[in-house]
Amino acid sequence: MDGFERALELLPGRLRQRAERFRGTGVEELRLRTGRPPTALIDGREREVDGAPVTRQELLLLLEKATGASLHTAAPALAEGFLSYRGLRLGLCGEALVRDGELAGFRDFRSAAIRIPRECRGVCDGVMDSLYGGGYENTLVISRPGGGKTTALRELIRKLSDRGLRVAVVDERNELLAAGGTGEGFDLGAHTDVLTGAPKARGALWLLRGMNPQLLAMDEITRREDLEAAAQAAGCGAWLLASAHAADLDELKRRPLYRELLELGLFQRLLVISGTGGARRYRVERLAE
Amino acid sequence: MRLWGAALILTACLGAGLLRAASARRRMETLRGLCGALELAEGELETRLTPLPELVWLLAGRSSGQTGDFFRLLDASFGFLGAEDFAALWSRAAATALSSLNSADREELARLGQILGRYELDRQLGALEACVRALRGELEAARVRYPGDRRLSLGLGAAAGALLIVVLY
């Protein structure tokens, strides 16, 4: 079952029927906003799925399906603003619930975005030589949100693993493997061990201790703990492959966390993804030592 | 022939009395089973944060009688989640499987179904506790009433049979 099928499975009856016609069109996201028509994001543009607006009840049904009617198990993920459902990321928005100054979840939901993971074999073929022709080096993949970081990371992991490198992946949100209920997921290569659901920082240490990887991969460095985990992994002799939200090196330098990451000198190569949909461009930059 | 007819009438009326007593006993068994299952659910949620589909599957395997039927039916209906909400699936399974319960018992269960899996953990645990307390109260009341009710049912059956025989003959 591919990502789009799993996304359809999540949708309540009427929306499912209407969204069926977008099968095979390369839908990147399905977006539902109460009181507005549902839309599908294709090639960076939102198209209406159905003229009738999404109701609050439909959004609640979607949420109940995504959590398996078990909100208590989804509470930690909700505090981060998203849920994982069989490898799909379900971003949520609404009235936030704040406890002790921290986001604890939502009091009410107003919109949801279902991001559909895609396997795009060969997207990194053109940059493999410039990235790893002279040997392995720590690589950071960057793009704007929704710019194809995860897809590229997945492809790099598979390629490197199939070349014989022992790869360990901390897949905190189950987006890289995107394993469904029966455990199937994307092909991440013959020599890859994947840890899903664990926080990056703890998971990285766990993998370094237990799986003796030559390369440690992680998606989206967004918190200080992630940065510390990357530094620790580099200190243990494993190569690093990670991603971050930034359009280019200049934007990366402007963000305090990423500036710190660059100052640590953990990464030597930068893979910059620009453009949208089928017109994505991949560029390799060398970071100063 | 008349003697046979009178005996049949008396047996039928006593049988009706016995059935009434048996239905009260079945309700008690169901209430007892439900209280046990819901207490187990409370423990599972509190200590393991068990997701509801797994919890219902567990309870279906550990319960018997109508309680077991209820959880098995609910387990089978999880495929409809997303098309219908959990509260609706819960109420429908209760209406189908828990035929020995009265409408007040079922309303109590329906209230629980509207909270389970939908709100934060403390609220779910509170609802489970309240439901168990209410059902246990009903069970105790039914247990106290049962011997008297059983005698009354049998007595009324016998009296109705005797009256019918007198009227007919």
Side-chain angles (χ1 to χ4, degrees):
Chain A
M1 189 185 272
D2 68 9
F4 186 72
E5 291 290 333
R6 274 178 266 157
L8 284 183
E9 191 184 86
L10 260 184
L11 295 176
R14 167 186 75 100
L15 300 176
R16 187 182 308 176
Q17 280 169 8
R18 304 297 295 178
E20 287 268 4
R21 69 193 168 100
F22 285 94
R23 195 191 299 276
T25 57
V27 175
E28 294 161 49
E29 287 179 14
L30 289 168
R31 306 191 72 104
L32 313 177
R33 302 175 179 97
T34 48
R36 300 277 176 191
T39 59
L41 185 72
I42 304 167
D43 284 337
R45 224 189 82 213
E46 284 191 44
R47 297 171 196 199
E48 273 191 18
V49 170
D50 187 12
V54 175
T55 64
R56 186 174 174 273
Q57 180 61 19
E58 282 173 328
L59 209 58
L60 289 175
L61 279 173
L62 172 96
L63 186 71
E64 203 167 58
K65 176 83 178 176
T67 61
S70 307
L71 202 65
H72 52 283
T73 60
L78 276 177
E80 298 283 326
F82 69 89
L83 289 171
S84 290
Y85 173 80
R86 304 185 68 197
L88 304 175
R89 193 207 284 198
L90 179 66
L92 295 161
C93 196
E95 191 188 344
L97 178 66
V98 179
R99 269 205 207 102
D100 304 325
E102 295 283 328
L103 266 178
F106 293 93
R107 206 180 296 279
D108 199 10
F109 298 94
R110 283 193 286 265
S111 26
I114 306 169
R115 190 179 287 185
I116 300 163
R118 281 189 301 167
E119 187 173 44
C120 298
R121 290 199 175 215
V123 287
C124 294
D125 284 358
V127 291
M128 283 307 281
D129 275 349
S130 30
L131 270 177
Y132 304 116
Y136 298 109
E137 283 190 297
N138 294 348
T139 306
L140 187 66
V141 181
I142 62 166
S143 82
R144 289 200 168 90
K149 281 183 300 295
T150 306
T151 308
L153 200 61
R154 194 182 290 131
E155 184 62 2
L156 288 175
I157 291 169
R158 188 181 64 81
K159 288 254 176 201
L160 293 172
S161 173
D162 284 344
R163 284 183 180 187
L165 206 65
R166 270 194 322 278
V167 184
V169 182
V170 201
D171 192 5
E172 185 171 355
R173 288 174 268 209
N174 186 23
E175 281 191 297
L176 288 166
L177 182 65
T182 51
E184 84 276 21
F186 288 125
D187 176 11
L188 292 182
H191 304 101
T192 304
D193 305 298
V194 188
L195 176 67
T196 52
K200 269 196 276 296
R202 297 279 301 275
L205 289 180
W206 193 349
L207 286 171
L208 285 168
R209 276 200 300 261
M211 302 309 291
N212 185 26
Q214 291 170 291
L215 184 138
L216 184 78
M218 57 175 80
D219 199 7
E220 292 185 16
I221 293 180
T222 51
R223 292 168 296 199
R224 177 157 303 281
E225 303 92 271
D226 304 341
L227 191 150
E228 283 163 8
Q232 207 145 14
C236 291
W239 297 106
L240 283 179
L241 178 59
S243 65
H245 282 305
D248 51 31
L249 183 57
D250 287 339
E251 192 181 329
L252 206 62
K253 283 177 180 168
R254 279 200 300 273
R255 297 190 174 183
L257 185 74
Y258 294 148
R259 199 166 49 232
E260 204 175 318
L261 180 76
L262 293 174
E263 280 164 8
L264 282 172
L266 293 178
F267 293 93
Q268 290 82 46
R269 297 281 166 101
L270 200 62
L271 175 61
V272 186
I273 309 170
S274 54
T276 56
R280 284 199 175 120
R281 288 182 299 279
Y282 299 81
R283 190 180 74 247
V284 178
E285 287 183 24
R286 182 158 195 90
L287 290 167
E289 295 289 336
Chain B
M1 198 65 172
R2 284 188 167 207
L3 202 61
W4 274 112
L8 277 174
I9 287 171
L10 196 62
T11 309
C13 290
L14 273 171
L18 275 170
L19 277 177
R20 194 168 176 272
S23 124
R25 201 178 57 239
R26 253 199 317 278
R27 176 172 174 254
M28 286 196 299
E29 279 165 11
T30 306
L31 285 172
R32 199 177 298 117
L34 275 173
C35 288
L38 295 180
E39 273 167 349
L40 180 63
E42 211 178 322
E44 279 287 323
L45 282 180
E46 195 168 11
T47 55
R48 293 184 55 226
L49 289 177
T50 314
L52 282 199
E54 190 188 327
L55 180 64
V56 169
W57 174 82
L58 183 85
L59 296 177
R62 293 200 184 173
S63 312
S64 57
Q66 289 193 355
T67 308
D69 294 342
F70 165 62
F71 286 115
R72 274 187 289 279
L73 200 59
L74 188 59
D75 182 37
S77 64
F78 265 111
F80 296 103
L81 202 65
E84 287 180 78
D85 64 14
F86 176 76
L89 300 177
W90 171 278
S91 290
R92 198 167 49 242
T96 310
L98 302 173
S99 56
S100 62
L101 296 188
N102 61 28
S103 57
D105 302 334
R106 275 203 285 268
E107 269 170 36
E108 194 63 51
L109 273 177
R111 262 196 293 279
L112 175 63
Q114 278 161 4
I115 289 168
L116 276 185
R118 188 160 201 166
Y119 296 100
E120 51 190 36
L121 185 65
D122 288 348
R123 190 141 176 224
Q124 292 186 53
L125 292 174
L128 271 166
E129 202 182 321
C131 186
V132 169
R133 202 169 40 242
L135 295 182
R136 212 169 270 297
E138 287 295 321
L139 175 62
E140 283 310 312
R143 194 179 287 156
V144 169
R145 277 198 316 264
Y146 180 67
D149 279 358
R150 187 167 182 273
R151 274 196 302 275
L152 185 68
S153 296
L154 287 174
L156 278 175
L163 192 67
L164 211 56
I165 292 165
V166 169
V167 171
L168 289 174
Y169 303 105

